[in-house]
Amino acid sequence: MSHPPSRSLDHVAVALDTPDRESFDQWCALFGPQVGVLKVGLEAYVRWGPDAVGEARRWARRVFLDLKLHDIPNTVGGAVSAARDLGVDYLTVHAAGGPRMLAAAQEAAGDGLELLVVTLLTHLDSESLEALDLEGSSADRVSRWTALARAAGCAGVVCSPLELARLREENPAPFVLVTPGIRGLGSMGDDDQRRTASPETALGAGADLLVIGRPLTRAADPEAALRTLAKTLDGVG
Ligand code: C5P
């Protein structure tokens, strides 16, 4: 695209989820200069390792390494240090690892990168939560786990769009709220995301960063989808 990037696209992280290296490189070059963040997820990292991070860093202002770490504190601390050495800006860890794991992760992160704590994955609907024996309201659980993340000194959380309003009220800025599960950008069929919202609703509800994958990367015309998204978000607030 020849026009300058829209400022509202600063709030967008494009999820580079693909098994195909050519697509990964194309998406880095297409989306990297336009949006605030490129997100390297498990799929790309397991295939191409630090090289995927390097390619994203070539094009993006900020890089988000979404490894959703969940292990004993010592192991997670070591992995966070390694991610820090890679020069990423954001890294995810699971709240379900508990307070000691979060503290070890935050100690390793220091001021070298921002830790984003995954609360409940957005594909989990009430049926899945019941099957996992996670009774009670998911909103209350997310709120409690967010309090743990904040107490550990982490930068923010990843939550579903439906939890944003409550979390924003309970956790004022600069605590960062990141939300995937963005849908309603043109036509996309049913997929694995369940607790979803439109980009403008999520931004209006207090999200700092919208993680968007397939609605952009799998759009028939990804550049047109990005332009539509920029226009939609420019109208918020
Ligand atoms: O393609 P889609 O827009 O669903 O991509 C969403 C991205 O956000 C994926 O990369 C997924 O791994 C990530 N994510 C998520 N739910 C979370 C945390 C991250 O969907 N709770």
Side-chain angles (χ1 to χ4, degrees):
M1 279 192 284
S2 51
H3 53 81
S6 153
R7 285 207 45 215
S8 60
L9 291 179
D10 280 353
H11 297 285
V12 172
V14 177
L16 305 167
D17 298 327
T18 175
D20 175 48
R21 186 57 198 249
E22 207 181 313
S23 302
F24 181 89
D25 291 352
Q26 274 172 7
W27 294 346
C28 284
L30 169 64
F31 296 114
Q34 297 290 327
V35 300
V37 181
L38 287 181
K39 185 175 87 73
V40 176
L42 279 172
E43 184 168 1
Y45 197 76
V46 172
R47 285 180 197 282
W48 307 301
D51 188 45
V53 171
E55 184 62 20
R57 283 187 67 192
R58 273 183 65 203
W59 297 99
R61 273 169 286 154
R62 284 173 289 154
V63 172
F64 177 170
L65 183 57
D66 189 14
L67 297 184
K68 299 189 178 66
L69 302 175
H70 185 182
D71 208 319
I72 59 171
N74 185 58
T75 302
V76 168
V80 172
S81 296
R84 202 184 146 150
D85 293 344
L86 286 180
V88 302
D89 301 276
Y90 304 103
L91 176 70
T92 42
V93 298
H94 266 288
R100 284 197 296 132
M101 191 207 81
L102 292 176
Q106 184 53 42
E107 195 186 331
D111 55 10
L113 60 79
E114 300 205 357
L115 277 186
L116 301 172
V117 178
V118 177
T119 51
L120 280 183
L121 294 171
T122 40
H123 74 289
L124 293 171
D125 51 18
S126 50
E127 209 177 305
S128 315
L129 292 172
E130 211 180 301
L132 288 168
D133 257 344
L134 290 174
E135 281 169 12
S137 106
S138 59
D140 289 343
R141 181 178 307 276
V142 168
S143 168
R144 282 199 310 277
W145 287 9
T146 297
L148 289 182
R150 221 173 128 195
C154 300
V157 292
V158 182
C159 63
S160 106
L162 308 186
E163 285 128 17
L164 281 168
R166 173 168 170 185
L167 291 186
R168 185 79 291 168
E169 207 180 300
E170 294 172 352
N171 306 276
F175 194 74
V176 177
L177 298 181
V178 178
T179 184
I182 301 297
R183 290 296 179 265
L185 252 193
S187 56
M188 249 204 75
D190 190 29
D191 59 28
D192 55 347
Q193 295 285 17
R194 287 296 173 269
R195 293 177 289 133
T196 63
S198 70
E200 61 273 28
T201 304
L203 201 62
D208 298 294
L209 196 60
L210 310 178
V211 175
I212 308 180
R214 291 162 289 179
L216 286 174
T217 55
R218 307 290 172 174
D221 181 345
E223 289 194 42
L226 194 61
R227 278 196 299 273
T228 306
L229 176 64
K231 249 190 241 153
T232 310
L233 294 181
D234 282 340
V236 179

PDB file of all heavy atoms in Angstrom, residues 22 84 90 204 206:
ATOM      1  N   GLU A  22       6.646 -19.265   2.425  1.00  0.00           N
ATOM      2  CA  GLU A  22       6.457 -18.187   1.454  1.00  0.00           C
ATOM      3  C   GLU A  22       5.348 -17.239   1.934  1.00  0.00           C
ATOM      4  O   GLU A  22       5.487 -16.016   1.877  1.00  0.00           O
ATOM      5  CB  GLU A  22       6.093 -18.798   0.111  1.00  0.00           C
ATOM      6  CG  GLU A  22       6.497 -17.915  -1.065  1.00  0.00           C
ATOM      7  CD  GLU A  22       6.094 -18.554  -2.385  1.00  0.00           C
ATOM      8  OE1 GLU A  22       6.362 -19.775  -2.553  1.00  0.00           O
ATOM      9  OE2 GLU A  22       5.492 -17.849  -3.204  1.00  0.00           O
ATOM     10  N   ARG A  84      14.079 -12.932  25.556  1.00  0.00           N
ATOM     11  CA  ARG A  84      14.601 -11.584  25.740  1.00  0.00           C
ATOM     12  C   ARG A  84      15.824 -11.380  24.863  1.00  0.00           C
ATOM     13  O   ARG A  84      15.981 -10.352  24.205  1.00  0.00           O
ATOM     14  CB  ARG A  84      14.960 -11.437  27.224  1.00  0.00           C
ATOM     15  CG  ARG A  84      15.011 -10.039  27.700  1.00  0.00           C
ATOM     16  CD  ARG A  84      15.455  -9.990  29.129  1.00  0.00           C
ATOM     17  NE  ARG A  84      16.230  -8.778  29.266  1.00  0.00           N
ATOM     18  CZ  ARG A  84      16.346  -8.064  30.358  1.00  0.00           C
ATOM     19  NH1 ARG A  84      15.759  -8.468  31.450  1.00  0.00           N
ATOM     20  NH2 ARG A  84      17.043  -6.966  30.375  1.00  0.00           N
ATOM     21  N   TYR A  90       7.044  -8.534  23.056  1.00  0.00           N
ATOM     22  CA  TYR A  90       6.016  -9.153  23.909  1.00  0.00           C
ATOM     23  C   TYR A  90       6.185 -10.665  23.881  1.00  0.00           C
ATOM     24  O   TYR A  90       6.557 -11.234  22.852  1.00  0.00           O
ATOM     25  CB  TYR A  90       4.599  -8.871  23.398  1.00  0.00           C
ATOM     26  CG  TYR A  90       4.239  -7.428  23.236  1.00  0.00           C
ATOM     27  CD1 TYR A  90       4.217  -6.850  21.974  1.00  0.00           C
ATOM     28  CD2 TYR A  90       3.878  -6.644  24.324  1.00  0.00           C
ATOM     29  CE1 TYR A  90       3.860  -5.516  21.801  1.00  0.00           C
ATOM     30  CE2 TYR A  90       3.525  -5.316  24.162  1.00  0.00           C
ATOM     31  CZ  TYR A  90       3.519  -4.756  22.891  1.00  0.00           C
ATOM     32  OH  TYR A  90       3.159  -3.452  22.735  1.00  0.00           O
ATOM     33  N   GLY A 204     -13.352  -0.223  21.367  1.00  0.00           N
ATOM     34  CA  GLY A 204     -14.227   0.648  22.157  1.00  0.00           C
ATOM     35  C   GLY A 204     -14.337   0.183  23.598  1.00  0.00           C
ATOM     36  O   GLY A 204     -14.532   0.977  24.516  1.00  0.00           O
ATOM     37  N   GLY A 206     -11.993  -1.046  25.371  1.00  0.00           N
ATOM     38  CA  GLY A 206     -10.775  -0.807  26.162  1.00  0.00           C
ATOM     39  C   GLY A 206      -9.574  -1.650  25.790  1.00  0.00           C
ATOM     40  O   GLY A 206      -8.569  -1.634  26.510  1.00  0.00           O
TER      41      GLY A 206
END
